[in-house]
Amino acid sequence: MRIALLALLFLCLPTESPGQILRPPELRLQYHRAERAFRTGSSLHEAKSRLDTVIEALPDDSEALMLRSEVLLALGRPEEAVEDAAATVALQPGNGEAWLLLSETHRAAGSAREAVSALEKAGSLITSGAALHIRLSYNAQMLGDLDQAEAFGRLALAQDDSLPGAYLQLARVFVAKNRLDAATMTLASGLGKGAVSPSDVTSDPDLAKLRSQAGLRPWFPN
């Protein structure tokens, strides 16, 4: 009985996967406050300061490293963001989102070759998640691979046709490929389903010019 009880207790113990850290309560609070400051846009500098505290104590905290990379990117410090993103993929080489972030940081830092390589790795690891596929599509477009951008965009839309960004991103790719009819059909589908609003189209410089297309007249009569 005693052996069985000990085995059960062992199975119930929290486990750590590679690159993931169990934070003490104070550091857990620092992380969540940093995340809130970043996600709400209240203070990027506060977010970075709190993450600095977490990472100083736990240098292998991949979640904190990844978030600090995002914060540094938002602060316009892409070279430093690359360092944190690279540290994250070293800790979690199977994390597709981390590879995507590494691609984004390399692209922002002007390292196109490294950005393309990281994006290829991210694309091979990310198999689901419409929001992630929207990001993959956008980054492929920014790196000049419009066919790959279209493929990622189609996957995003197939995975979740309720996301406005899925329609908008795929339409942007079609505009970049000078396939205005396809862009119009994509937007008309989103508008017809109520996933996209007319203001989503008019507020986007790449898509606003499509308002005069015949397929969009029901939403833009003038």
Side-chain angles (χ1 to χ4, degrees):
M1 175 68 72
R2 179 179 174 81
I3 294 174
L5 180 59
L6 288 173
L8 180 61
L9 288 172
F10 177 78
L11 290 172
C12 292
L13 288 173
T15 60
E16 299 180 31
S17 57
Q20 292 183 326
I21 300 292
L22 293 177
R23 304 181 193 100
E26 173 57 30
L27 294 179
R28 189 162 61 244
L29 181 63
Q30 289 281 4
Y31 176 85
H32 288 303
R33 286 180 174 174
E35 185 177 37
R36 184 169 63 248
F38 174 58
R39 304 299 180 198
T40 62
S42 61
S43 176
L44 293 175
H45 292 285
E46 176 192 343
K48 182 184 178 300
S49 178
R50 292 186 182 280
L51 289 167
D52 288 345
T53 299
V54 175
I55 294 168
E56 182 178 3
L58 302 171
D60 290 341
D61 189 329
S62 60
E63 193 176 21
L65 285 164
M66 193 167 173
L67 182 58
R68 190 171 69 175
S69 180
E70 293 183 74
V71 172
L72 288 165
L73 199 55
L75 285 168
R77 296 160 64 175
E79 291 82 5
E80 295 171 72
V82 166
E83 294 180 8
D84 280 353
T88 304
V89 299
L91 290 164
Q92 293 189 325
N95 185 333
E97 187 175 359
W99 282 100
L100 176 54
L101 180 60
L102 181 60
S103 178
E104 290 169 334
T105 58
H106 272 307
R107 183 172 60 78
S111 304
R113 181 180 300 177
E114 290 81 359
V116 168
S117 178
L119 188 67
E120 290 175 352
K121 183 68 173 178
S124 71
L125 291 169
I126 296 171
T127 58
S128 62
L132 289 176
H133 278 89
I134 292 170
R135 284 173 61 189
L136 286 167
S137 175
Y138 175 79
N139 281 278
Q141 180 183 355
M142 292 298 99
L143 290 166
D145 190 344
L146 295 181
D147 289 340
Q148 188 65 72
E150 179 183 343
F152 285 137
R154 288 184 180 277
L155 280 171
L157 191 54
Q159 290 178 6
D160 190 346
D161 64 0
S162 70
L163 279 183
Y167 296 93
L168 299 173
Q169 174 54 28
L170 184 56
R172 289 189 201 102
V173 174
F174 286 138
V175 169
K177 299 179 84 168
N178 201 30
R179 294 170 58 188
L180 301 188
D181 287 347
T184 298
M185 289 178 59
T186 300
L187 291 177
S189 176
L191 287 160
K193 292 177 181 177
V196 175
S197 70
S199 64
D200 289 330
V201 179
T202 56
S203 63
D204 190 304
D206 293 328
L207 304 179
K209 59 187 176 184
L210 297 174
R211 289 175 297 175
S212 60
Q213 295 289 312
L216 296 183
R217 281 178 190 161
W219 297 278
F220 304 101
N222 297 321

